[in-house]
Amino acid sequence: MEADEGNPASTSVLESSAVVSDNQTLMPIVETIPALPVQPIIPPVVPAAIPPVIVPSIAPILTIPPPQVPAPLAPLPVRPPIFKPTVPPQNGEVRTSDSDSDRDDLDSTRATTGEYEISEESRQVRERQEKAIQDLLMKRRASALAVPTNDMAVRARLRRLGEPITLFGEREMERRDRLRMLMAKLDAEGQLEKLMKAHEEEEAAATATADDAEEEMIQYPFYTEGSKALLNARIDIAKYSIVRAASRLQRAHRKRADPDENIDAEIDWALRQAESLFLDCSEFGDDRPLSGCSFSHDGNLLATCALSGVAKIWSMPKVEKVSALKGHTERLTDVAFSPVQNHLATASADRTARLWNTDGSLLNTFEGHLDRLARISFHPSGKYLGTTSFDKTWRLWDIDTGVELLLQEGHSRSIYGIAFHHDGSLAASSGLDSLARVWDLRTGRSILAFEGHVKPVLGISFSPNGYHLATGGEDNTCRIWDLRKKRSFYVIPAHSNLISQVKFEPQEGYFLVTGSYDMTAKVWSGRDFKLVKTLSGHEAKVTSLDVGADGCSVATVSHDRWIKLWSINRKEQAMDVD
């Protein structure tokens, strides 16, 4: 009971110590506690089984610091007016606040006072952005619309929509884009009735006039309709080429199947003949530089042409003048003998080609080119003549009638070289656009376009084997193309100057001859295209060359006005045979 009476006294002391005014500190209270009378604590009498209850002393409790009462905060500093302008005074005092309600009031005040008015520049920027968005949406809408691809249909739809069918300087694609944007605009404005009405009228017109639609399609053909004479010529060329190709393939199969045939030995023998070429004869050709030469089909005659405009015929092998062909008004650029008879053709800068007899009489004149002619070549059948010109076209002529059968475009620049396949089915052209193209004479299509030269291609020639094509150009290289693989498989760094002419040996193509502006002609192997012989003797640019039908002689002409005949050494050949 005494312990119970002592506890209230200690409780009152604690309560009195807990009650502290705001303006007093705790230390004076702690000092007054020992001065109070404290009754001795007598533990109660309890049974021995129960341990005595130990009451902790009050002194350790006083060592715990009581919670500090926070002092009042100092007023916040006023923000600069740049970031936080003050609100107009109310009730005679200025106040600042960061509450959301104050910010809303401030924003409403700014809006009413017009502090954030949009400037003219901002308004223009916003208008441009809106216009760009509208244009983008319009383009998206237009891309989803179906617009006719035929220009005639585009014009018809524009007419039905009440728009001009064409504008000044407007092209087909621009006209189609204009129709697309117009349709998208009508769709965006909700004028679908007008658009659908125009579409229905088009469908009605298409179903009612089906024949007219066919006529409109004919106006955009993928080919140029040729004459009846061209059709007959294509049929004749196809029949001729089939027979020649079959004969060539049978000969090749027979050589491969015959155990007695040794192709490598034949090539070696032909190369030894070419290696024995020597300068057999030199003849002064003309007063002006020579530009072309050609052997007759039997090898008994040689024709040359010069910048004087005169072509001359020479007898072989002594190179004696037979006749002179005069008639062109400008310089001659090339001359070629017919492969079946003793007729020859000349090409001139007067835009004409002429057919002559060996006695000097004029047989026919081929007129039609719009610029000067470059090279000329006969078809293997001897019935057709091919000419190239600086008007970016090559043409095929009928020898008998003089009619222009074919006007062929395809090169982006002037066409210079031309050659016919030995079967007669293909023609090859080379031009100043650095391209060589192969044409199928039976169908009129361009079946191959060979890219590889980096400068104009001047010389071109088919190999008698049927699948090799040689080209030479101003990049000083001769490229060998495989018609089967449709690519170049060998590049010969042939000369130190541009290559003016390229010719295969006409029987089997066992060797190749190139002429160049470096004043030399070179003989190359047709098997591995290695150098066999260099024919040096000219003192100026070698402009043209030709190989005899038997492959035993090579003629070259140059700007030095001399004709040089290179022949094989007959004595060495006889020794080899023995």
Side-chain angles (χ1 to χ4, degrees):
M1 293 300 291
E2 292 178 359
D4 295 337
E5 291 177 357
N7 288 336
S10 60
T11 303
S12 61
V13 172
L14 291 174
E15 289 177 356
S16 60
S17 63
V19 179
V20 180
S21 64
D22 294 340
N23 297 326
Q24 293 178 352
T25 58
L26 296 177
M27 296 303 297
I29 300 175
V30 175
E31 293 176 356
T32 55
I33 290 176
L36 295 176
V38 179
Q39 296 293 331
I41 298 172
I42 299 173
V45 178
V46 293
I50 299 173
V53 178
I54 300 172
V55 180
S57 61
I58 298 175
I61 297 176
L62 298 178
T63 60
I64 299 174
Q68 297 289 340
V69 178
L73 297 175
L76 294 174
V78 180
R79 294 182 180 180
I82 297 175
F83 305 98
K84 182 78 173 181
T86 58
V87 182
Q90 296 180 0
N91 298 328
E93 61 181 357
V94 179
R95 62 182 180 88
T96 57
S97 176
D98 292 336
S99 62
D100 295 337
S101 59
D102 293 344
R103 290 179 180 178
D104 295 338
D105 296 339
L106 188 58
D107 292 339
S108 60
T109 305
R110 291 172 178 173
T112 54
T113 56
E115 183 178 354
Y116 292 112
E117 290 183 357
I118 300 175
S119 63
E120 183 67 19
E121 183 178 357
S122 300
R123 185 181 60 80
Q124 292 177 358
V125 171
R126 182 174 297 178
E127 290 178 356
R128 287 197 297 268
Q129 292 176 351
E130 293 177 355
K131 185 178 180 181
I133 294 174
Q134 292 177 0
D135 293 342
L136 178 60
L137 295 178
M138 186 71 69
K139 290 180 180 179
R140 287 183 179 178
R141 190 186 300 272
S143 61
L145 297 176
V147 181
T149 56
N150 191 351
D151 187 60
M152 296 301 297
V154 172
R155 291 170 181 264
R157 181 166 294 188
L158 287 171
R159 183 182 293 109
R160 291 187 177 92
L161 292 176
E163 296 291 331
I165 61 174
T166 184
L167 301 178
F168 180 77
E170 187 178 45
R171 292 178 291 183
E172 295 181 2
M173 293 303 298
E174 296 171 351
R175 189 179 301 111
R176 187 167 180 263
D177 293 339
R178 181 164 63 90
L179 175 60
R180 184 190 299 276
M181 296 305 297
L182 180 63
M183 294 173 60
K185 183 178 180 181
L186 292 176
D187 189 12
E189 293 176 356
Q191 300 181 10
L192 291 176
E193 297 180 358
K194 184 177 181 180
L195 190 61
M196 294 302 296
K197 184 179 179 180
H199 185 62
E200 292 174 359
E201 290 178 357
E202 286 184 3
E203 291 182 350
T207 55
T209 58
D211 297 337
D212 295 341
E214 293 180 359
E215 293 179 359
E216 291 177 359
M217 293 178 63
I218 293 174
Q219 294 181 5
Y220 295 89
F222 65 94
Y223 65 93
T224 302
E225 185 175 357
S227 61
K228 184 67 176 177
L230 177 60
L231 177 61
N232 295 333
R234 292 194 190 282
I235 295 174
D236 180 67
I237 289 173
K239 293 180 179 179
Y240 177 83
S241 63
I242 289 173
V243 176
R244 296 266 294 193
S247 175
R248 175 175 57 83
L249 293 176
Q250 288 177 2
R251 186 169 65 254
H253 288 312
R254 184 174 63 252
K255 284 186 176 182
R256 292 180 181 178
D258 191 354
D260 296 333
E261 292 284 347
N262 190 341
I263 299 178
D264 291 335
E266 288 186 9
I267 296 176
D268 293 338
W269 180 79
L271 294 180
R272 284 197 300 271
Q273 277 192 321
E275 192 175 0
S276 67
L277 286 171
F278 70 100
L279 182 58
D280 190 12
C281 182
S282 293
E283 183 65 31
F284 188 76
D286 198 274
D287 296 335
R288 297 292 306 280
L290 300 176
S291 57
C293 65
S294 176
F295 279 109
S296 61
H297 69 284
D298 54 6
N300 295 328
L301 298 174
L302 174 69
T304 62
C305 63
L307 300 186
S308 61
V310 179
K312 296 180 181 180
I313 300 177
W314 311 81
S315 63
M316 293 290 109
K318 295 183 180 180
V319 193
E320 295 178 349
K321 181 179 176 182
V322 175
S323 62
L325 312 178
K326 299 180 181 180
H328 287 283
T329 59
E330 290 285 345
R331 65 185 184 277
L332 297 182
T333 58
D334 198 16
V335 63
F337 258 108
S338 172
V340 295
Q341 54 190 351
N342 286 335
H343 292 168
L344 69 153
T346 55
S348 173
D350 61 5
R351 307 178 186 176
T352 65
R354 301 195 178 196
L355 183 67
W356 309 84
N357 203 346
T358 52
D359 58 4
S361 58
L362 179 63
L363 300 179
N364 214 331
T365 302
F366 308 98
E367 298 178 350
H369 280 288
L370 304 178
D371 206 340
R372 66 184 188 274
L373 273 64
R375 295 293 187 187
I376 195 169
S377 180
F378 276 92
H379 188 266
S381 65
K383 298 180 180 180
Y384 311 103
L385 179 68
T387 59
T388 62
S389 172
F390 280 76
D391 61 3
K392 304 179 184 179
T393 66
W394 71 268
R395 308 193 186 203
L396 189 67
W397 310 84
D398 192 316
I399 293 296
D400 298 329
T401 63
V403 176
E404 178 188 302
L405 299 175
L406 175 65
L407 187 156
Q408 185 63 63
E409 298 175 336
H411 288 268
S412 61
R413 297 185 65 186
S414 302
I415 304 177
Y416 196 87
I418 187 170
F420 289 97
H421 195 277
H422 289 258
D423 295 343
S425 58
L426 306 177
S429 61
S430 62
L432 305 188
D433 57 357
S434 306
L435 290 180
R437 288 187 176 272
V438 179
W439 310 85
D440 190 344
L441 296 176
R442 300 161 295 183
T443 62
R445 296 181 178 179
S446 174
I447 57 176
L448 291 174
F450 291 129
E451 299 180 6
H453 286 280
V454 296
K455 288 187 177 181
V457 184
L458 305 180
I460 191 166
S461 177
F462 278 104
S463 173
N465 62 18
Y467 49 85
H468 283 168
L469 176 69
T471 58
E474 291 186 6
D475 56 3
N476 309 343
T477 63
C478 177
R479 286 181 175 265
I480 310 299
W481 309 86
D482 195 326
L483 302 181
R484 303 164 300 180
K485 299 179 180 180
K486 302 180 181 181
R487 64 178 180 85
S488 170
F489 75 96
Y490 202 89
V491 180
I492 307 174
H495 293 272
S496 60
N497 207 332
L498 66 84
I499 298 176
S500 58
Q501 188 63 281
V502 176
K503 284 291 180 68
F504 271 102
E505 178 265 315
Q507 286 188 343
E508 298 293 339
Y510 288 154
F511 62 86
L512 169 71
V513 185
T514 60
S516 170
Y517 275 19
D518 62 1
M519 301 182 292
T520 65
K522 294 184 179 181
V523 182
W524 308 87
S525 169
R527 177 173 52 192
D528 51 10
F529 303 103
K530 293 182 178 179
L531 181 63
V532 176
K533 182 76 172 182
T534 300
L535 309 178
S536 301
H538 284 286
E539 298 177 354
K541 306 171 182 176
V542 176
T543 55
S544 183
L545 59 87
D546 197 14
V547 184
D550 56 355
C552 296
S553 58
V554 177
T556 58
V557 294
S558 170
H559 275 190
D560 61 6
R561 301 170 294 176
W562 285 86
I563 305 169
K564 294 190 181 296
L565 182 65
W566 312 81
S567 303
I568 63 172
N569 195 331
R570 301 287 179 180
K571 295 181 180 179
E572 292 184 4
Q573 182 182 5
M575 293 175 62
D576 291 340
V577 172
D578 293 340

